[in-house]
Amino acid sequence: QVQLVESGGGLVQAGGSLRLACAASGRAFSSYLMAWFRQTPGKEREFVAAISSSGAGTYYGTSVKGRFTISRDNAKNTVYLQMNSLKPEDTAVYYCAARPRGSYNVPAYDYWGQGTQVTVSS
């Protein structure tokens, strides 16, 4: 069992930056594929970024590539999402997710956080 708690969301102006964090419970964190998804009302959950268990592999959705960076600290059981050059269209609830293995960009993850709101004003 893994519990995920996101933090770091908030209101920021376009062009600004935010850093999200996802703290995980459980000793198996270092073996999990971790990801960030986002969702706006009436839309499907969208893949943002994922990182392999070791951190050696990172993957990004096309809309955030070059602006967002995912990283993890297995000693702290935490995964991060650094978001730069934010745009109003990045406004969404951002969710952290974990799974032992599988496709990184499909929202079929085993564990999810409660989400954190990110709002980008124009």
Side-chain angles (χ1 to χ4, degrees):
Q1 188 75 12
V2 176
Q3 291 186 325
L4 305 173
V5 179
E6 301 99 334
S7 61
L11 174 65
V12 64
Q13 288 189 329
S17 298
L18 279 176
R19 189 193 196 201
L20 305 184
C22 173
S25 65
R27 289 179 286 181
F29 174 80
S30 61
S31 67
Y32 280 82
L33 170 67
M34 300 296 297
W36 290 94
F37 287 78
R38 65 187 183 187
Q39 191 169 25
T40 54
K43 293 189 177 181
E44 293 185 353
R45 199 159 287 192
E46 177 190 6
F47 170 72
V48 175
I51 187 166
S52 65
S53 58
S54 68
T58 56
Y59 316 92
Y60 296 94
T62 53
S63 61
V64 307
K65 193 173 295 184
R67 299 188 297 123
F68 291 10
T69 302
I70 189 171
S71 61
R72 66 190 296 162
D73 185 338
N74 285 344
K76 295 183 178 179
N77 278 17
T78 302
V79 62
Y80 304 96
L81 185 68
Q82 178 67 45
M83 305 185 294
N84 298 329
S85 303
L86 283 161
K87 305 175 182 180
E89 51 263 45
D90 293 318
T91 295
V93 177
Y94 283 71
Y95 296 91
C96 175
R99 67 187 305 180
R101 64 190 64 81
S103 299
Y104 61 84
N105 60 345
V106 177
Y109 279 66
D110 298 277
Y111 305 102
W112 292 87
Q114 82 288 349
T116 185
Q117 176 71 47
V118 171
T119 302
V120 184
S121 63
S122 58

